[in-house]
């Protein structure tokens, strides 16, 4: 089963970039430009991990995070934040976000972090991972 990654950001360029990166890593990728679309995808497709921008017009990242965790607390959420949103980062962590990246983030660091989250424990499972 392919792991699913949902990218939630109102900036089209960031969504396109991250979709490309995680598609090429072998994940099923989904994207949403706002909270309503994001939550529809969470309900319908149950992503394994969500990359969630903190500052989204309408429903902000913290609100979206609360809703995601209410729908399915097993979904892993990584926040993407602008510089200076540290107070919100603490709140996001309290709400269950596992980590955050500050924009502009290093795409390789994010790729490695997502792979650790989604493939880290897989060596114990019955699916062998090819190189």
């Amino acid at each position: 089963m392919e792991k699913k990654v949902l990218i939630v950001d109102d900036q089209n360029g960031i969504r396109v970039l991250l979709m490309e990166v995680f598609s090429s890593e072998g994940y099923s990728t989904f994207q949403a430009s706002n909270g309503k679309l994001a939550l529809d995808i969470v309900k319908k497709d149950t992503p394994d991990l969500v990359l969630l921008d903190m500052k989204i017009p309408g429903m902000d990242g913290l609100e979206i995070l609360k809703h995601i965790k209410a729908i399915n607390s097993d979904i892993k959420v990584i926040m993407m934040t602008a510089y200076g949103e540290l107070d919100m980062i603490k709140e996001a962590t309290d709400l269950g976000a596992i980590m955050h990246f500050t924009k502009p983030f290093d795409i390789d660091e994010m790729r490695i972090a997502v792979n650790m989250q989604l493939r880290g424990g897989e060596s114990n499972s019955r699916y062998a991972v090819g190189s």
Side-chain angles (χ1 to χ4, degrees):
M1 266 298 277
E2 276 183 332
K3 300 271 186 174
K4 300 178 196 169
V5 176
L6 166 61
I7 296 140
V8 187
D9 198 305
D10 62 316
Q11 288 177 278
N12 184 52
I14 289 179
R15 291 200 311 276
V16 169
L17 171 68
L18 292 176
M19 295 267 293
E20 272 177 24
V21 168
F22 292 112
S23 296
S24 67
E25 287 292 307
Y27 298 114
S28 292
T29 53
F30 300 81
Q31 60 168 324
S33 55
N34 62 53
K36 186 187 175 312
L37 286 169
L39 295 173
D40 286 346
I41 293 169
V42 167
K43 287 174 189 151
K44 197 171 97 236
D45 297 295
T46 320
D48 297 284
L49 184 141
V50 180
L51 293 166
L52 176 56
D53 188 41
M54 188 74 89
K55 279 265 194 290
I56 291 189
M59 200 188 303
D60 75 1
L62 290 173
E63 234 180 301
I64 298 169
L65 172 61
K66 281 180 199 162
H67 285 297
I68 291 171
K69 288 292 180 180
I71 294 164
N72 183 341
S73 59
D74 290 338
I75 295 173
K76 297 177 173 181
V77 181
I78 295 177
M79 304 302 292
M80 298 182 286
T81 62
Y83 179 72
E85 292 171 351
L86 285 169
D87 49 335
M88 293 172 83
I89 290 165
K90 180 178 181 325
E91 196 178 338
T93 308
D94 293 343
L95 290 169
I98 41 180
M99 62 197 312
H100 75 275
F101 281 88
T102 307
K103 291 179 175 179
F105 44 78
D106 180 316
I107 198 75
D108 265 339
E109 279 180 26
M110 184 177 273
R111 191 174 52 80
I112 290 162
V114 168
N115 284 338
M116 291 258 318
Q117 290 298 331
L118 293 181
R119 297 191 177 133
E122 220 162 86
S123 51
N124 313 329
S125 78
R126 49 208 177 116
Y127 305 108
V129 181
S131 56

